[in-house]
Amino acid sequence: MSGQWWQPSRWLPYLRARWVAVVAVAVLLVGGVAVKLAWPEVHVIHVAGLDEPITIRTHQTTLGAALEEQGILVGPKDKVDPPLDTSLKGIKELSVTIRKAFPVTVTIRGESQQVETAAATVGELLEELGVTLEPGDELNLDPATALAAGMEVRVVHHSEEIEVVQEPIPYEILEQNDPYLFIGQRREIQAGEPGIREIRRLVRYEDGVEVASEILEERVIKEPVPQIIAYGTLGVVSRGGTEYRYTRALEMIATGYTAGKESNPRGNGLTYTGLKARRGIVAVDPNVIPLYTRLYVEGYGPALAADIGGAIKGNRIDLCFDTVEEALQWGVRPVTVYILQE
C-alpha cells in the first residue's frame, strides 16, 4: 500500500487541476489590469456659478483641463474653488464653484479706478488690492458687504488742522463839512489805515480738499484808523460887482413888512433883538435860521436875521422895507436865501 501512494500516476491528475486553477486566476488578474488600462476612470464634475448649473463627465486628470475640454473659459480675475490645478485622480465626483469677475469702481483717498474682481465682499476686495485702512480713513461700506457689479467702494481720508490767518479790517470814511472850502472841493484831513484781525479756525479736509471750517478765536491786532474827508460848503454869488460867500442855500417863501404901525400896530419900530427895523433886517424862524445870521436874499440883497414873527414859521422869511409901497410891491414870492460865511 505504501508504495502505491507515492506513485506519480496517482498524483498527476490532482496537480494538473491545481495548475489550471492558478493559471486561471492569473489570467483574470492580468485581464483586469488590462481592462483598467484600456478604460480610464470617469470623473463627474458639478459646476456652479455660471448662467446655470451644469454637470460634465471627463477623463481628464486635472480640473483645469476638464473645464477647458468643455469650452468653459476662466479669466485671469475669475475665482475657481477648488483651484484649476486640482488633480482628479481617484476622484469620481467633484463640486466646483466659478465666480466670474465683474467691474467695480474703487476710489482710494481721492484717486478712482475701475477694477475687475471676483471678490465676494468689500473687505476681500481691499485685501486683494493691498489696501490697508489708516487712521482717519473711512470706508463707505461695511467690509462684510457683498460685492456686485457696478458698485463703488470709497475710502475717504479725513483730516483737520488749525489755521491762523490775518485779515485786513476796512477803515471807515468819515465826511465833515468845511465852511472854508468851496462847494465841490474836498480835502483829506486824516488818512485811513486798515486794521488787522487774526483768525484761528479749525479746517476739516476730505482727501486733502477743504470741506468745512469753524472759527475758534478771533481778535483784533490793530484797530483801523478812519479816513476823514472835508467837503466844501462855501459857495459864491456875485451881485452888483460884489461876491458873497455862502455856506448854505435855502429855498423859502418871502413876504414884506415895514417898521410902522401898519405892520405891527402895537410895535415901536424895534425888532425882537432890539435893533431898529429897517431895510436889510429880516424876520426868520430861529429853528431854521439862527438870529444874527448874515444872509443874502435873492432880489432883496444883503440882510441880517434879527427879528421873528408869529406867522414866520418853518421855511418862511419876512423882509423889512422902508415904505409900505415897497412891501406891497414885493408881495409874496419864492426866493433863494444864502447863508453867508461868517
Side-chain angles (χ1 to χ4, degrees):
M1 290 290 295
S2 61
Q4 293 178 351
W5 188 81
W6 288 104
Q7 290 180 1
S9 58
R10 186 180 178 93
W11 288 96
L12 277 175
Y14 175 75
L15 292 173
R16 189 177 293 115
R18 291 292 299 271
W19 278 109
V20 169
V22 169
V23 169
V25 169
V27 168
L28 288 174
L29 290 174
V30 172
V33 171
V35 169
K36 187 173 183 180
L37 291 175
W39 299 95
E41 58 183 337
V42 177
H43 313 288
V44 177
I45 302 176
H46 305 286
V47 182
L50 303 177
D51 293 337
E52 58 183 24
I54 63 172
T55 298
I56 61 176
R57 289 173 172 77
T58 183
H59 297 295
Q60 297 293 335
T61 57
T62 64
L63 175 59
L67 294 178
E68 185 177 356
E69 178 185 59
Q70 297 297 319
I72 300 174
L73 301 179
V74 178
K77 295 292 185 178
D78 297 342
K79 288 192 175 181
V80 182
D81 185 26
L84 292 175
D85 59 358
T86 299
S87 174
L88 299 180
K89 291 181 180 180
I91 297 177
K92 292 184 177 181
E93 193 167 359
L94 180 68
S95 293
V96 177
T97 300
I98 299 176
R99 183 171 173 84
K100 303 295 289 184
F102 48 87
V104 295
T105 300
V106 181
T107 303
I108 307 296
R109 304 178 188 96
E111 296 186 5
S112 296
Q113 61 176 322
Q114 191 174 70
V115 300
E116 294 282 331
T117 182
T121 65
V122 171
E124 187 178 322
L125 171 63
L126 295 180
E127 184 178 352
E128 180 182 286
L129 297 176
V131 176
T132 302
L133 296 182
E134 300 175 356
D137 286 345
E138 180 184 12
L139 186 60
N140 68 324
L141 299 171
D142 188 279
T145 302
L147 276 180
M151 289 180 64
E152 181 181 12
V153 177
R154 297 179 63 240
V155 176
V156 179
H157 185 72
H158 297 272
S159 62
E160 58 184 28
E161 65 178 22
I162 294 179
E163 182 182 74
V164 180
V165 297
Q166 291 186 349
E167 295 181 351
I169 304 174
Y171 57 81
E172 292 183 281
I173 299 178
L174 305 179
E175 294 188 343
Q176 63 184 37
N177 64 62
D178 187 337
Y180 297 98
L181 287 178
F182 288 104
I183 293 174
Q185 289 184 326
R186 299 171 68 84
R187 179 170 61 90
E188 184 181 67
I189 298 175
Q190 176 176 281
E193 295 181 10
I196 300 175
R197 178 188 294 111
E198 184 179 86
I199 299 175
R200 294 177 70 249
R201 62 184 186 131
L202 178 65
V203 184
R204 294 183 174 87
Y205 299 90
E206 287 184 1
D207 297 332
V209 178
E210 180 178 338
V211 294
S213 66
E214 174 187 352
I215 294 179
L216 302 177
E217 182 184 10
E218 186 174 330
R219 66 190 183 96
V220 175
I221 298 177
K222 176 186 175 185
E223 293 287 351
V225 177
Q227 182 186 34
I228 301 177
I229 300 292
Y231 62 91
T233 58
L234 180 62
V236 176
V237 292
S238 180
R239 299 293 184 268
T242 303
E243 287 188 345
Y244 297 94
R245 296 187 176 189
Y246 66 90
T247 59
R248 192 159 51 119
L250 302 174
E251 299 299 323
M252 308 186 79
I253 299 298
T255 54
Y257 78 104
T258 64
K261 298 291 186 179
E262 64 277 359
S263 293
N264 188 358
R266 294 180 295 178
N268 54 9
L270 297 178
T271 63
Y272 177 80
T273 60
L275 297 176
K276 183 179 179 180
R278 55 178 173 80
R279 184 180 176 88
I281 298 296
V282 296
V284 298
D285 182 347
N287 293 320
V288 178
I289 299 177
L291 292 172
Y292 302 108
T293 299
R294 292 191 313 110
L295 309 171
Y296 183 88
V297 181
E298 196 68 57
Y300 179 77
L304 178 67
D307 202 0
I308 62 174
I312 307 305
K313 300 296 182 185
N315 207 32
R316 295 184 68 91
I317 188 170
D318 204 7
L319 312 176
C320 187
F321 289 92
D322 292 332
T323 66
V324 174
E325 288 76 12
E326 289 177 301
L328 292 175
Q329 186 179 3
W330 178 268
V332 179
R333 66 178 74 175
V335 295
T336 300
V337 178
Y338 297 96
I339 310 298
L340 299 184
Q341 184 186 37
E342 296 294 332

